[in-house]
Amino acid sequence: MTELFKQYKKFSISEQVYRFGEEILDALAPRFAQIDKNAEYNQLKVIGAMQEAGVSEACLLGTTGYGYNDLGRDTLETVYAEVFETEDALVRPQITCGTHALALALMSNLRPGDELLSPVGKPYDTLEEVIGIRPSRGSLAEYGVTYRQVDLLPDGSFDYEGIRAAVGERTKMVTIQRSKGYQTRPTLSVERIGELIAFVKQIKPDVIVMVDNCYGEFVETREPSQVGADMVVGSLIKNPGGGLAPIGGYIAGKRECVENAACRLTSPGLAKEVGASLGVLPAFYQGLFLAPTVTASALKGAIFAANVYEKLGFAVVPDGQESRHDIIQAVTFGSPEGVIAFCEGIQAAAPVDSFVKPEPWDMPGYDSKVIMAAGAFVSGSSIELSADGPIAPPYAVYFQGGLTFPHAKLGILKSLQNLVDRGIVTVP
Ligand SMILES: *Cc1c(COP(=O)(O)O)cnc(C)c1O
């Protein structure tokens, strides 16, 4: 018995499960090396942006009250603009989450009578209420903004004819979700997003393209804003916060789009000038600094999970070999028991709240019960090792995060051990 296995044994991992994991990991070495190269590229991008913007010790101090002349906040927004290669950015703790950032980008850039188009099918669950697909107080629909959707074709490709027909005089904005979210469609690569943007801009050059960039940041060496997106939007408790940001969201894009968002977040006339950063700036800066390697750890965890569960005969999206464009891994267990056993295993590997048993609950913004496993330092953070499973067919679990790969590995082995112990699966 190796010293390392003795450590796993303390977590009740059997020798069989451990060996199974090791064999899979051995075969993944070349892919992991490629992920490390990506992280290296993105690490230099982030350090370069911080140097270019002249980040100083004074930037780490916060402001209170109105937050006028907040050097750290304004410099951080310059850093984000540099990283995403955009004209401007809004990066604020007052943006409460990813949904809020997306709602802000939409509501501030659309006016009554405009139409929003999603050419990639149904958007993320929480956006249904923002848009008004499910009637909701304060939705875009209530303000007279209409919505159209063109689904992906059955093979996952863009329905170019459908999109051409859907772009009309009132189409003001196009929203493209990079990640699959709670769906089993493939995630879009930056390259494919670029092709789609070129197509819609060719039909209507002045349309504003927003990309929901959640879970995609730093997975590739390019971001959608480098292939024509007018705005990229995301959450700081996912990839770009590097696990350290305790709250926040960002919008990076064209100056005009960002200014509109700032006027809506604070107030017309005040825009970016107010919004105290309080004490969060060190975490925002250091989190962004760590984000490339943290994202790489999460990516390795996702690939490991895909290969483990694929080998055991479960449907996994993406599959074990496929190239990656976000950090989410979907595993379809086909039964509530599988989803629950998996999530309990992830929870049991956590540094915080490992003794807690997750239960399915009615989460705000979602239309079925969801079970969530998260023993996170930042509540609800999904760049930390976490798993969510809507308790509804096809009974798939969406697994993501891991600030370090060893933690992701432990979580995956714990989940597998749980499934083995409950007789749901046997390991060869
Ligand atoms: C997480 C996520 C959101 C919403 O972010 P929250 O921070 O949970 O509000 C939106 N779109 C996608 C694709 C996401 O993954």
Side-chain angles (χ1 to χ4, degrees):
M1 200 171 9
T2 65
E3 289 304 309
L4 181 56
F5 175 64
K6 280 186 200 157
Q7 285 292 92
Y8 281 105
K9 205 155 183 263
K10 289 183 197 161
F11 289 90
S12 307
I13 303 293
S14 70
E15 192 158 1
Q16 219 179 355
V17 163
Y18 174 71
R19 285 233 174 96
F20 180 69
E22 290 309 287
E23 275 165 30
I24 285 172
L25 276 179
D26 285 345
L28 289 174
R31 277 193 82 187
F32 281 19
Q34 188 52 49
I35 290 169
D36 288 334
K37 279 272 176 244
N38 247 20
E40 191 176 343
Y41 181 97
N42 286 325
Q43 181 73 80
L44 300 189
K45 191 197 301 189
V46 168
I47 295 173
M50 288 187 178
Q51 293 185 354
E52 185 72 24
V55 174
S56 65
E57 196 176 353
C59 291
L60 303 176
L61 303 171
T63 56
T64 57
Y66 292 110
Y68 293 132
N69 303 311
D70 187 320
L71 173 72
R73 176 197 69 204
D74 295 348
T75 304
L76 181 68
E77 289 178 339
T78 305
V79 171
Y80 264 71
E82 180 82 18
V83 166
F84 288 99
E85 242 180 65
T86 56
E87 291 173 3
D88 202 357
L90 189 66
V91 186
R92 303 284 170 122
Q94 288 83 10
I95 301 177
T96 58
C97 61
T99 303
H100 186 192
L102 290 156
L104 189 59
L106 291 168
M107 294 184 160
S108 61
N109 282 287
L110 289 161
R111 295 289 179 273
D114 288 343
E115 187 157 271
L116 171 68
L117 169 69
S118 170
V120 296
K122 188 180 98 59
Y124 195 72
D125 277 30
T126 58
L127 285 188
E128 291 186 10
E129 286 185 78
V130 171
I131 295 167
I133 300 171
R134 274 187 285 145
S136 191
R137 191 185 298 275
S139 70
L140 282 168
E142 270 196 354
Y143 286 88
V145 175
T146 58
Y147 171 72
R148 264 208 208 205
Q149 176 178 315
V150 177
D151 290 338
L152 296 173
L153 293 172
D155 68 353
S157 62
F158 301 127
D159 178 2
Y160 284 117
E161 282 323 299
I163 296 166
R164 188 188 295 284
V167 175
E169 209 170 296
R170 293 194 301 110
T171 311
K172 171 78 174 292
M173 216 164 142
V174 167
T175 178
I176 300 172
Q177 185 178 309
R178 179 172 177 181
S179 166
K180 67 178 111 23
Y182 280 166
Q183 287 172 285
T184 41
R185 69 139 163 109
T187 284
L188 303 176
S189 66
V190 171
E191 188 179 358
R192 287 192 70 204
I193 290 171
E195 287 162 11
L196 181 55
I197 294 173
F199 181 76
V200 298
K201 293 243 172 180
Q202 180 210 319
I203 303 169
K204 192 163 188 184
D206 61 347
V207 82
I208 299 168
V209 176
M210 178 188 88
V211 173
D212 174 350
N213 210 22
C214 283
Y215 288 130
E217 299 93 347
F218 303 120
V219 170
E220 299 184 42
T221 53
R222 279 188 312 171
E223 298 294 336
S225 39
Q226 294 171 286
V227 294
D230 299 294
M231 275 189 285
V232 286
V233 181
S235 163
L236 297 197
I237 64 167
K238 294 180 179 171
N239 309 15
L244 294 185
I247 191 170
Y250 76 90
I251 299 171
K254 291 264 163 66
R255 183 155 286 112
E256 166 108 1
C257 295
V258 171
E259 186 68 11
N260 280 338
C263 287
R264 172 95 190 193
L265 175 66
T266 64
S267 161
L270 301 182
K272 293 182 81 183
E273 304 299 320
V274 297
S277 57
L278 305 173
V280 301
L281 289 172
F284 280 17
Y285 277 105
Q286 200 175 352
L288 179 65
F289 173 77
L290 292 177
T293 51
V294 166
T295 302
S297 299
L299 209 47
K300 289 176 185 174
I303 292 171
F304 180 46
N307 282 276
V308 163
Y309 284 103
E310 188 173 64
K311 197 145 194 183
L312 295 170
F314 294 99
V316 294
V317 178
D319 71 31
Q321 281 71 49
E322 199 169 332
S323 72
R324 297 271 156 168
H325 311 291
D326 70 6
I327 63 166
I328 303 185
Q329 182 61 47
V331 183
T332 301
F333 287 104
S335 73
E337 293 74 28
V339 169
I340 291 166
F342 181 94
C343 289
E344 286 182 7
I346 297 299
Q347 187 77 38
V352 180
D353 286 341
S354 60
F355 49 84
V356 165
K357 213 170 135 192
E359 302 265 357
W361 65 299
D362 289 303
M363 206 181 147
Y366 296 83
D367 59 6
S368 59
K369 276 196 191 308
V370 179
I371 183 170
M372 307 190 88
F377 295 104
V378 171
S379 180
S381 165
S382 48
I383 186 62
E384 296 188 53
L385 189 68
S386 50
D388 324 293
I391 303 296
Y395 300 103
V397 149
Y398 298 83
F399 160 87
Q400 67 272 311
L403 299 186
T404 70
F405 176 68
H407 180 212
K409 177 179 173 182
L410 175 64
I412 293 156
L413 294 180
K414 272 305 271 183
S415 73
L416 176 56
Q417 188 70 53
N418 244 350
L419 285 144
V420 169
D421 292 347
R422 294 176 198 189
I424 298 168
V425 72
T426 49
V427 170

